[in-house]
Amino acid sequence: MDADGIQLLVGGGSVGALCTLAGAWIKARFSKTQIAPQPLEVKGAQKFVTCEQCELRHKEVDERLKAGTRAFDAIRTKMDADHRDVMNSIQKLNDRVAPVAEACAANSQAIRILLKEPK
């Protein structure tokens, strides 16, 4: 008789555990979890790009970069030419002003001698 009571106790506990497990599975399967506020809400369909479209875009960017590099090189060449022209003009101006400055210095020295002023 003791065996019958133990068997009933173990059987009842097992059935209760199985019912609890089944209830938890049903609750998890059919209930919806709600997250509020929605942290990563996605609106609309996602957009994908094909490999061909990606390659075409890369080619377009490369062409624009090459065109910009060519334009920059042309500007740099023009600026270098302008810089050389300005430096040549400055040198010519210095060559023209130097004799006048030397003459003024000589005249200043002659005037000091005439007026007998100390240096």
Side-chain angles (χ1 to χ4, degrees), residues 105-119:
N107 287 341
S108 173
Q109 186 65 24
I111 292 171
R112 282 191 188 131
I113 291 171
L114 289 174
L115 296 175
K116 296 183 182 180
E117 291 181 355
K119 290 185 180 181

